Amino acid sequence: MSEDIVLVQNAFEETPTVSPETSPVLSTIEVERLDLVEIGTLFDTIAIPETLVHIAKTNMVNTTWEELQSILNSLLAEQFKMVEGKIQDETTKAMVDSLTTKITNSINEHENCPFTIQRLCELMIEPKKYYRMYVKYLRAIDKVLSVTSYWEEYVSTIDEKSSLPVDNKLDTTEGVKMDLD
């Protein structure tokens, strides 16, 4: 009677791995993401309005919403001009154009300054600090603008709780805790 001998690999031995260097199949596969247009240094020459820098640092809005809309739309349009020539793929161009239009419409449709104005300004004045890719940056702006609450409502709530006079300005020198309940 002959016994079949079964060889079992030792569980503690290292299993051979496949890498692009050891596999001709993997080394020839290149995935090209045409939607990933890097911001890089494209926006470095754009002048950033002091109004946006002030809001990003303090969350204090000292201008009308109409003026702020104009500033935001101008900066967005200037950024788009800088990136437009770098986009090679037609589908990506259409997507970026659609997102930019959606963001512009969102800015224009808000009746007042959105609750997320500070974050919007942070993103717009330093996009590459938070995002490397332009499309992801645009999606973040779109998301920040999707709120339905307004900054003035937040300021009024803070002022009522702390019994400060309501002047539509938020003084953050003392620090403010946000009550989300």
Side-chain angles (χ1 to χ4, degrees):
M1 168 172 175
S2 78
E3 294 183 22
D4 290 334
I5 299 175
V6 178
L7 296 176
V8 177
Q9 183 178 0
N10 184 342
F12 298 104
E13 287 180 15
E14 192 173 308
T15 307
T17 59
V18 179
S19 70
E21 294 81 29
T22 61
S23 170
V25 174
L26 287 179
S27 63
T28 59
I29 297 175
E30 287 187 26
V31 177
E32 190 173 339
R33 292 284 311 266
L34 300 172
D35 62 324
L36 298 180
V37 178
E38 286 195 45
I39 294 171
T41 59
L42 291 174
F43 300 160
D44 289 355
T45 59
I46 296 175
I48 304 298
E50 185 57 38
T51 304
L52 299 185
V53 174
H54 177 74
I55 295 170
K57 289 182 179 178
T58 64
N59 197 27
M60 291 176 61
V61 178
N62 296 324
T63 186
T64 66
W65 174 234
E66 290 76 23
E67 290 174 45
L68 200 49
Q69 285 172 311
S70 177
I71 293 169
L72 293 168
N73 283 327
S74 294
L75 182 57
L76 184 66
E78 198 170 346
Q79 289 173 342
F80 178 72
K81 278 187 212 173
M82 301 296 261
V83 172
E84 191 175 25
K86 304 287 183 189
I87 303 171
Q88 304 298 320
D89 179 55
E90 291 302 317
T91 305
T92 304
K93 281 182 184 180
M95 177 179 42
V96 167
D97 194 35
S98 173
L99 268 171
T100 304
T101 301
K102 183 179 177 189
I103 291 167
T104 302
N105 289 341
S106 182
I107 290 170
N108 294 335
E109 288 171 1
H110 275 284
E111 295 172 13
N112 271 313
C113 188
F115 174 77
T116 54
I117 190 63
Q118 184 176 26
R119 181 65 178 151
L120 177 62
C121 290
E122 289 170 349
L123 288 172
M124 290 193 75
I125 67 172
E126 294 185 285
K128 69 181 182 182
K129 180 177 180 180
Y130 305 100
Y131 295 95
R132 205 173 109 218
M133 302 301 170
Y134 184 64
V135 172
K136 291 181 180 187
Y137 160 68
L138 287 179
R139 287 186 183 131
I141 290 176
D142 180 43
K143 188 168 185 160
V144 166
L145 286 167
S146 67
V147 299
T148 57
S149 298
Y150 294 112
W151 180 81
E152 287 82 5
E153 295 168 8
Y154 168 70
V155 174
S156 297
T157 304
I158 294 295
D159 289 340
E160 288 168 9
K161 286 183 179 180
S162 61
S163 68
L164 295 172
V166 177
D167 63 357
N168 283 346
K169 294 179 180 76
L170 178 61
D171 182 6
T172 57
T173 56
E174 297 281 324
V176 176
K177 288 188 177 180
M178 206 161 65
D179 185 14
L180 298 175
D181 291 328

